Amino acid sequence: MAILVTGGAGYIGSHTVAELLDRGEEVVVIDNLLTGHREALLGGKLYEGDLRDKELLGKLFAENEIDAVIHFAASSLVGESMKDPVKYYDNNVYGTQCLLEAMQKAGVNKIVFSSTAATYGEPEKVPIEETDRTEPANVYGETKLTMERMMAWFDKVLGIKYVALRYFNAAGAHASGKIGEDHRPESHLVPLVLQTALKQRESIAVFGDDYPTEDGTCVRDYIHVSDLADAHVRAVTYLRSGSSSNIFNLGNGLGFSVKQVIETAKKVTGLEIPVVIQERRAGDPAVLVASSDKARSILGWNPQHADLENIIQSAWNWHSANPQGYGE
Amino acid sequence: MAILVTGGAGYIGSHTVAELLDRGEEVVVIDNLLTGHREALLGGKLYEGDLRDKELLGKLFAENEIDAVIHFAASSLVGESMKDPVKYYDNNVYGTQCLLEAMQKAGVNKIVFSSTAATYGEPEKVPIEETDRTEPANVYGETKLTMERMMAWFDKVLGIKYVALRYFNAAGAHASGKIGEDHRPESHLVPLVLQTALKQRESIAVFGDDYPTEDGTCVRDYIHVSDLADAHVRAVTYLRSGSSSNIFNLGNGLGFSVKQVIETAKKVTGLEIPVVIQERRAGDPAVLVASSDKARSILGWNPQHADLENIIQSAWNWHSANPQGYGE
């Protein structure tokens, strides 16, 4: 039986495909390659196309014996979502509806789904737990919450079991050095910092250094992309064992400040990283850290690369060897 | 400027079109006529087709000067929604997304939308107020809540103002006697009771007569369809005056029991209506009544046909004159 990975040519998707291949799983990928990269696929059978292409999806399920789906394909830029909500509803909500419809038709009843900690919005408390209030502060988070709620109904009515994984910031790169992070445009802190070290950017902007945190900069939750990949694979195993649908946070439990990230990157690279302090951004909470106690106890998840230096070193291995990412 | 009514050939839609025409409004209707009836349209310009047909929607907005939309088009059978969730997400959520996209492109920024009291699920208390917990108990209610939440984001991001109207059971028929209620299949109490009086059905089933209510049968909120139509038109006026987005319950504030409905129908028709008492249905609360204080005070809504006899008399005028509804 094969596992279908939607968005498998994306950043977390490609690392999950690598993890699945390592474990001897048969992998089928669907990716429209709009933000994913063909070169990021270390194996598996690629269907180039979109989840909203019902014909292609039908063909894919007919041609392969799929028993579970890992669903990454989505638009995921918070800023863009607040300018073009149609794009986010269409790609994320309607795309997921098309996927669930195809699963229903093919009799596939297990899906692991990359949700987001943005479903919580401004946190009630930190670390955030799965039962905390969900009140997204942007359209991106809203569409992911809508996807979660939709899956709960498809479980109740049709028996399609799901695991939703909520996390903040993926970072780092695969141990092989073959794949890494390459978003266009890039909006994530670690690659931006490393591109600054590589002099591809003049400086790195820090939005506010007067937050009530130890060093005044925002504290965020970074997870190594390979630890995230491991969690997705564990979630498939969990569903294959007949467990019921569930929602898990994936967090490092601690959080690192923006300054800590920059200082660690200086140490790892041995290079200058000019910093420009700017105004706080609206809607940026001081601390966003998720509790992953539930994932640890139920999925047996135990991050192997939780150390910040380890995360940044692996990212640097990729960025320094591939300064243009996956190229043109 | 014209008002676009989606689902304008349906039960509440057609009564709202009649109300708009009475007030001299220019009306454009889009209806795929799958559950609506061409004969139910007393006027206006009909585009026969589906909200999910982006080309048709684009043409409609290009050919007419629309300044506001009243959005009824949706699938609305609770039981069906618990068997075919794809249909409900596609028709209700995706359909609304297509409509909002077309409005955005055409620069139309006002929409009044028929939501449902099913967004509340099992009520915390009665009468239900707009700020009460929303926890739908079926896919139909979930898709309507998703539509409400979607509209809130389209307001925040794009400035499209909306009014969501939440109500339970529309009943009755237009004073002209020209239009009335004809659902296929029929699932609403008042027409079922009147079809029993007309001997089109052997008996009317009452699900449970041991509820903690005055006569043991469930108490529900019935609103005359012309009062609902009036509320929709008032909501358009409210948005045209520049008011901000809002959510209103539309209820009669009192509620009538199933037995009361049947007894009143016997009185109005002068005919026998055999009753069969059956088991309670799962998920049927004893009393569902909405407070409409907010709609009364802000929209100035004041139901003119709140009396049960008045509601059933108007329905009887239609059913007795049109025993086959709109015919084939």
Side-chain angles (χ1 to χ4, degrees):
Chain A
M1 301 295 279
I3 295 176
L4 170 63
V5 182
T6 78
Y11 174 44
I12 311 175
S14 61
H15 284 76
T16 301
V17 168
E19 190 73 28
L20 290 167
L21 294 170
D22 272 355
R23 302 195 194 187
E25 296 279 358
E26 196 185 322
V27 178
V28 175
V29 168
I30 182 167
D31 199 302
N32 61 18
L33 299 181
L34 287 180
T35 56
H37 307 275
R38 192 184 296 276
E39 305 86 336
L41 275 178
L42 299 184
K45 183 173 167 189
L46 173 65
Y47 287 75
E48 187 179 338
D50 200 286
L51 284 182
R52 295 162 293 190
D53 180 344
K54 294 187 184 195
E55 205 176 314
L56 178 68
L57 261 192
K59 186 166 128 77
L60 184 159
F61 277 101
E63 290 177 351
N64 300 277
E65 269 203 272
I66 309 281
D67 84 315
V69 176
I70 306 181
H71 177 34
F72 291 103
S75 295
S76 59
L77 298 174
V78 166
E80 185 187 53
S81 81
M82 294 300 279
K83 287 177 191 149
D84 189 358
V86 168
K87 176 174 179 179
Y88 280 71
Y89 274 94
D90 203 65
N91 201 8
N92 299 1
V93 177
Y94 179 60
T96 299
Q97 176 200 309
C98 294
L99 175 62
L100 289 169
E101 181 178 6
M103 288 174 63
Q104 178 188 2
K105 284 183 180 159
V108 177
N109 65 356
K110 291 181 275 300
I111 181 166
V112 172
F113 146 60
S114 92
S115 182
T116 170
T119 52
Y120 295 111
E122 177 82 22
E124 292 178 274
K125 59 170 175 54
V126 284
I128 304 168
E129 291 173 291
E130 289 83 352
T131 48
D132 287 359
R133 182 190 61 205
T134 49
E135 211 169 90
N138 51 63
V139 172
Y140 165 65
E142 176 72 25
T143 57
K144 288 273 172 165
L145 183 61
T146 301
M147 290 157 70
E148 285 190 8
R149 294 179 64 111
M150 185 191 299
M151 290 203 191
W153 285 106
F154 276 75
D155 178 4
K156 194 163 187 169
V157 173
L158 301 174
I160 295 178
K161 300 297 168 195
Y162 72 96
V163 166
L165 299 174
R166 295 175 176 165
Y167 41 90
F168 286 106
N169 307 304
H174 198 252
S176 68
K178 290 179 186 162
I179 56 175
E181 186 168 11
D182 180 3
H183 295 107
R184 302 175 190 190
E186 190 55 73
S187 63
H188 296 82
L189 182 63
V190 171
L192 290 175
V193 165
L194 296 179
Q195 288 172 356
T196 309
L198 287 167
K199 300 207 187 312
Q200 295 173 347
R201 294 173 189 273
E202 262 182 38
S203 62
I204 180 77
V206 172
F207 298 99
D209 64 351
D210 55 354
Y211 281 95
T213 57
E214 215 164 300
D215 63 23
T217 63
C218 286
V219 170
R220 293 290 180 269
D221 204 326
Y222 298 88
I223 307 282
H224 193 289
V225 65
S226 294
D227 284 326
L228 287 180
D230 174 61
H232 285 80
V233 177
R234 282 175 187 274
V236 171
T237 305
Y238 167 87
L239 289 179
R240 279 180 171 167
S241 76
S243 303
S244 52
S245 296
N246 221 327
I247 296 176
F248 300 99
N249 286 340
L250 302 175
N252 63 26
L254 265 171
F256 305 108
S257 76
V258 175
K259 265 196 190 156
Q260 270 181 290
V261 169
I262 296 169
E263 290 309 315
T264 305
K266 281 185 187 168
K267 188 176 153 199
V268 164
T269 63
L271 298 169
E272 287 292 298
I273 301 176
V275 168
V276 177
I277 306 294
Q278 298 197 358
E279 293 283 293
R280 290 184 185 196
R281 288 184 300 196
D284 259 356
V287 179
L288 281 181
V289 179
S291 162
S292 56
D293 290 352
K294 189 177 166 190
R296 286 170 190 265
S297 82
I298 296 181
L299 297 180
W301 184 60
N302 184 19
Q304 299 299 302
H305 317 272
D307 173 64
L308 183 59
E309 196 169 323
N310 186 319
I311 292 175
I312 293 181
Q313 181 66 56
S314 76
W316 179 239
N317 292 347
W318 157 259
H319 280 283
S320 54
N322 302 276
Q324 303 307 322
Y326 289 106
E328 288 310 299
Chain B
M1 300 296 278
I3 295 177
L4 169 64
V5 183
T6 77
Y11 175 43
I12 311 174
S14 62
H15 284 76
T16 301
V17 168
E19 189 73 29
L20 290 167
L21 294 170
D22 272 355
R23 303 195 192 186
E25 295 279 357
E26 195 185 324
V27 178
V28 176
V29 168
I30 181 167
D31 200 302
N32 60 19
L33 300 180
L34 287 181
T35 56
H37 306 275
R38 192 184 298 275
E39 306 85 337
L41 275 178
L42 298 184
K45 182 173 169 189
L46 172 65
Y47 287 75
E48 187 180 337
D50 201 286
L51 284 184
R52 295 162 292 190
D53 180 344
K54 295 188 183 193
E55 205 175 315
L56 178 68
L57 261 192
K59 186 167 130 75
L60 185 158
F61 277 102
E63 289 177 354
N64 300 278
E65 269 203 274
I66 310 282
D67 85 316
V69 177
I70 306 182
H71 177 35
F72 291 104
S75 294
S76 59
L77 298 174
V78 167
E80 184 187 54
S81 80
M82 294 301 278
K83 287 176 190 148
D84 189 359
V86 168
K87 177 174 178 178
Y88 281 71
Y89 273 94
D90 203 64
N91 201 8
N92 299 0
V93 177
Y94 178 61
T96 298
Q97 176 200 310
C98 294
L99 175 62
L100 289 169
E101 181 178 5
M103 289 174 63
Q104 177 188 1
K105 284 183 180 160
V108 177
N109 65 357
K110 292 182 275 297
I111 180 166
V112 172
F113 147 60
S114 94
S115 183
T116 170
T119 52
Y120 294 112
E122 177 80 23
E124 291 178 277
K125 61 168 174 55
V126 285
I128 303 168
E129 292 172 291
E130 289 83 351
T131 48
D132 286 359
R133 182 192 60 205
T134 49
E135 210 168 272
N138 51 63
V139 172
Y140 166 63
E142 175 72 27
T143 57
K144 288 273 172 163
L145 183 61
T146 301
M147 289 157 70
E148 285 191 6
R149 293 180 64 111
M150 187 192 297
M151 290 202 190
W153 285 106
F154 276 76
D155 178 4
K156 193 161 190 173
V157 173
L158 302 174
I160 295 177
K161 301 295 169 196
Y162 72 97
V163 166
L165 299 174
R166 294 175 177 164
Y167 42 89
F168 287 106
N169 307 304
H174 198 252
S176 69
K178 291 180 187 164
I179 56 176
E181 186 167 12
D182 181 3
H183 294 108
R184 301 176 191 189
E186 190 55 75
S187 64
H188 296 84
L189 183 63
V190 171
L192 290 175
V193 165
L194 297 178
Q195 288 172 356
T196 309
L198 286 167
K199 300 207 188 311
Q200 297 175 344
R201 295 173 188 272
E202 262 183 38
S203 60
I204 180 80
V206 173
F207 299 98
D209 64 352
D210 55 354
Y211 281 95
T213 57
E214 215 164 299
D215 63 23
T217 63
C218 285
V219 170
R220 295 288 181 272
D221 203 328
Y222 298 88
I223 307 284
H224 195 288
V225 65
S226 294
D227 284 327
L228 286 181
D230 174 61
H232 284 80
V233 177
R234 284 176 187 271
V236 171
T237 305
Y238 168 87
L239 289 179
R240 278 180 171 165
S241 76
S243 303
S244 53
S245 296
N246 222 327
I247 295 176
F248 300 99
N249 286 341
L250 301 176
N252 63 25
L254 265 172
F256 305 110
S257 76
V258 175
K259 266 196 190 154
Q260 270 182 289
V261 170
I262 296 169
E263 290 310 314
T264 307
K266 283 184 187 169
K267 187 177 155 198
V268 164
T269 62
L271 298 169
E272 288 292 298
I273 302 177
V275 167
V276 177
I277 306 294
Q278 298 197 357
E279 294 282 293
R280 291 185 184 194
R281 288 185 299 197
D284 259 356
V287 180
L288 281 181
V289 179
S291 161
S292 56
D293 290 352
K294 189 177 165 188
R296 287 169 190 266
S297 82
I298 296 181
L299 297 180
W301 185 60
N302 184 18
Q304 299 300 302
H305 318 272
D307 174 63
L308 184 59
E309 197 170 322
N310 186 320
I311 292 175
I312 293 181
Q313 182 64 57
S314 77
W316 181 238
N317 293 348
W318 157 259
H319 281 283
S320 53
N322 303 275
Q324 303 308 322
Y326 289 107
E328 290 307 300

